[in-house]
């Protein structure tokens, strides 16, 4: 992306104006492709195209407004700049509402058009970079990227997933809240023979009891009051894929019996129907409880537990793999960077120590929240959040922060706000200086 040369697609049926604009833009250092009609340019526009469309509104055949709609149908974020005559201003304003990037009224100097194009290219560059980063995150299939860590527990868990993913056996995942049970379930699906099928996740705790059976098994039209049309249930929708039953301990006991029958016989019947439907799915269930103990208490069916417990994968809580926390925190911060388009602030040894010392009762979910706050500049460590009692001595981190702030402010004053001599004098990088100025709340006038 950084090395790509952007292309300006210039469309105008006026030969003299088209060539004059192309020559002027090329003198401004831009690469220009010219077209005399809207129809001739569309084959050169794509979702990965690093470029800008500049088009006249009034043209024979497809006019600029029609071309705008066709370009945005290819990529809704593609920047289109309209060239308008005086009588087309209202039309151009409507085009802006319809997704055009900007319009420029004739007559205009080429330098003005060039300025608008440069802004549009910067926006396009950010869109493509963000799209690329998102695709990179979406396409990660390496287990070490999904289950980050070097501890013996997480290495063992990755090995277990790799060993059983293609076995197609039913699996029970046990782990605390926020430990990553769905991440493990998705890995089992993606690495197994059902990867091209649907992955259907059901949170058993979130479904109201009165619609649970219909959601799971589906129903026929007229099966009950309000059932106006046939509905395909979640189990049937997962045919050929994986059904993930999260918080399965919350499933009502009467439905547990029906689920057990579906698992054992691999068939279902929709509500209101006697037709038996074959079921080709892999069942993966997850719980934060000891289901064997719940079975002894009568709150969970023991026969369902033993049927699900063909293979059990246990996810260790973060407090049992402390050494993984800094690495996982940085991994989550990188995800946040791609999502929020922010740089990751400096992660120093003091922050790492705080991360390791924390118990993380919410596990990876809690850690993710703090990583996102950190990237957004809303969190700088637990010490920064802790309330200070009146007259209480400052902590070591507060003393260090005060010293850093005083030193940076002194250097800024000495160099008149110029940043280069400041970060050189302090022996840190330019980015490091920016991060500290932001974190410490230092005010300065950029030079």
């Amino acid at each position: 992306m950084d090395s790509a040369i952007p292309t300006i697609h210039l469309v105008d049926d006026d030969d003299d104006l088209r060539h004059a604009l192309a020559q002027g833009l090329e003198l401004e250092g831009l690469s220009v492709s010219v077209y005399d009609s809207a129809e001739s340019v569309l084959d050169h526009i794509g979702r990965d195209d690093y470029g800008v469309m500049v088009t006249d509104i009034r043209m024979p055949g497809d006019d600029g407004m029609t071309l705008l709609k066709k370009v945005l149908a290819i990529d809704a974020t593609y920047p289109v700049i309209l060239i308008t005559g005086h009588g087309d201003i209202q039309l151009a304003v409507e085009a802006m509402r319809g997704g055009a990037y900007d319009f420029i009224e004739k007559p205009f100097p080429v330098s003005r058009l060039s300025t608008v194009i440069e802004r549009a290219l910067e926006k396009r560059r950010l869109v493509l970079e963000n799209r690329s980063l998102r695709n990179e995150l979406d396409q990660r299939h390496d287990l070490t990227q999904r289950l980050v860590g070097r501890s013996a527990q997480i290495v063992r868990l990755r090995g277990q997933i790799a060993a059983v993913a293609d076995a197609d056996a039913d699996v029970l995942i046990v782990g605390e809240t926020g430990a990553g049970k769905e991440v493990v379930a998705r890995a089992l699906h993606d690495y197994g023979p059902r990867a091209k099928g649907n992955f259907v996740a059901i949170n058993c705790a979130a479904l109201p009891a009165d619609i649970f059976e219909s959601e799971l098994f589906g129903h026929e039209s007229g099966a009950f009051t309000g059932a106006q049309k046939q509905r395909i249930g979640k189990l049937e929708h997962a045919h050929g894929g994986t059904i993930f039953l999260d918080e399965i301990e919350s499933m009502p006991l009467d439905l547990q019996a029906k689920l057990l029958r579906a698992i054992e016989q691999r068939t279902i019947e929709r509500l209101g129907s006697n037709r038996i439907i074959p079921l080709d799915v892999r069942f993966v269930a997850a719980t934060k409880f000891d289901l064997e103990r719940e079975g002894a208490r009568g709150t969970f069916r023991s026969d369902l537990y033993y049927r699900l417990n063909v293979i059990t994968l246990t996810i260790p809580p973060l407090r049992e793999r402390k050494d993984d926390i800094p690495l996982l925190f940085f991994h989550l911060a990188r995800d946040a960077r791609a999502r929020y388009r922010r740089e990751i602030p400096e992660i120093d040894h003091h922050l790492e120590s705080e991360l390791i010392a924390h118990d993380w009762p919410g596990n990876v979910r809690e850690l993710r929240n703090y990583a996102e706050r950190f990237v957004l500049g809303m969190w700088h460590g637990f010490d920064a959040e802790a309330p200070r009692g009146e007259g209480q001595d400052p902590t070591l981190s507060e003393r260090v922060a005060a010293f850093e702030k005083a030193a940076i402010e002194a250097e800024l004053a000495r160099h008149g706000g110029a940043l280069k001599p400041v970060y050189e004098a302090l022996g840190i990088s330019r980015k490091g200086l920016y991060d500290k100025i932001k974190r410490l709340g230092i005010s300065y006038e950029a030079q």
Side-chain angles (χ1 to χ4, degrees), residues 1-38:
M1 183 68 242
D2 291 339
S3 61
I5 299 174
T7 301
I8 312 307
H9 300 284
L10 176 61
V11 189
D12 201 308
D13 64 311
D14 185 325
D15 292 341
D16 292 337
L17 179 59
R18 184 174 68 251
H19 290 303
L21 286 178
Q23 187 177 40
L25 292 174
E26 286 171 351
L27 289 173
E28 294 283 337
L30 296 168
S31 175
V32 184
S33 294
V34 295
Y35 310 87
D36 58 6
S37 68

Side-chain angles (χ1 to χ4, degrees), residues 140-358:
R140 285 177 181 167
H141 295 300
D142 189 348
L143 268 177
T144 59
Q145 293 294 326
R146 298 195 185 200
L147 294 164
V148 177
R150 303 190 187 101
S151 64
Q153 299 98 314
I154 208 70
V155 170
R156 181 169 58 252
L157 178 60
R158 287 198 296 259
Q160 290 172 335
I161 293 171
V164 304
D166 62 355
D168 210 29
D170 297 332
V171 178
L172 178 64
I173 303 171
V174 180
E176 295 181 0
T177 298
K181 295 186 286 293
E182 185 165 348
V183 172
V184 172
R186 285 187 178 274
L188 288 168
H189 174 78
D190 291 343
Y191 285 93
R194 300 178 177 275
K196 293 183 179 179
N198 291 328
F199 177 88
V200 180
I202 301 174
N203 187 330
C204 299
L207 282 177
D210 55 343
I211 67 167
F212 207 122
E213 187 171 3
S214 173
E215 283 290 312
L216 220 59
F217 299 98
H219 62 253
E220 299 291 345
S221 174
F224 52 84
T225 303
Q228 298 180 357
K229 59 182 181 179
Q230 184 190 76
R231 177 182 174 84
I232 301 298
K234 300 289 189 184
L235 296 182
E236 190 175 348
H237 180 59
H239 186 80
T242 302
I243 190 83
F244 173 54
L245 299 163
D246 196 12
E247 299 190 66
I248 193 170
E249 73 279 355
S250 303
M251 182 178 288
L253 282 169
D254 58 331
L255 281 179
Q256 289 180 27
K258 295 182 179 181
L259 176 64
L260 175 63
R261 179 181 176 86
I263 294 174
E264 289 181 332
Q265 299 188 2
R266 269 1 192 223
T267 60
I268 59 168
E269 296 176 22
R270 298 192 197 118
L271 293 178
S273 172
N274 294 320
R275 185 167 71 91
I276 295 176
I277 300 171
L279 199 62
D280 175 22
V281 299
R282 180 183 201 175
F283 286 92
V284 178
T287 182
K288 57 180 175 288
F289 291 103
D290 182 339
L291 293 185
E292 188 173 17
R293 184 182 302 168
E294 297 301 310
R297 293 175 177 173
T299 58
F300 193 84
R301 292 185 63 101
S302 294
D303 49 2
L304 178 57
Y305 163 69
Y306 291 120
R307 184 62 186 80
L308 288 171
N309 194 31
V310 177
I311 297 171
T312 298
L313 298 179
T314 301
I315 305 176
L318 277 183
R319 64 179 176 275
E320 293 181 5
R321 53 184 188 110
K322 293 269 190 177
D323 290 344
D324 287 340
I325 292 173
L327 180 64
L328 181 55
F329 183 81
F330 182 72
H331 172 82
L332 297 171
R334 284 195 307 172
D335 288 352
R337 177 185 64 184
R339 187 160 46 255
Y340 299 123
R341 305 299 308 160
R342 300 284 184 89
E343 287 302 318
I344 302 175
E346 182 180 352
I347 303 175
D348 56 27
H349 293 302
H350 177 72
L351 180 59
E352 287 190 8
S353 297
E354 285 194 73
L355 292 171
I356 292 172
H358 189 60

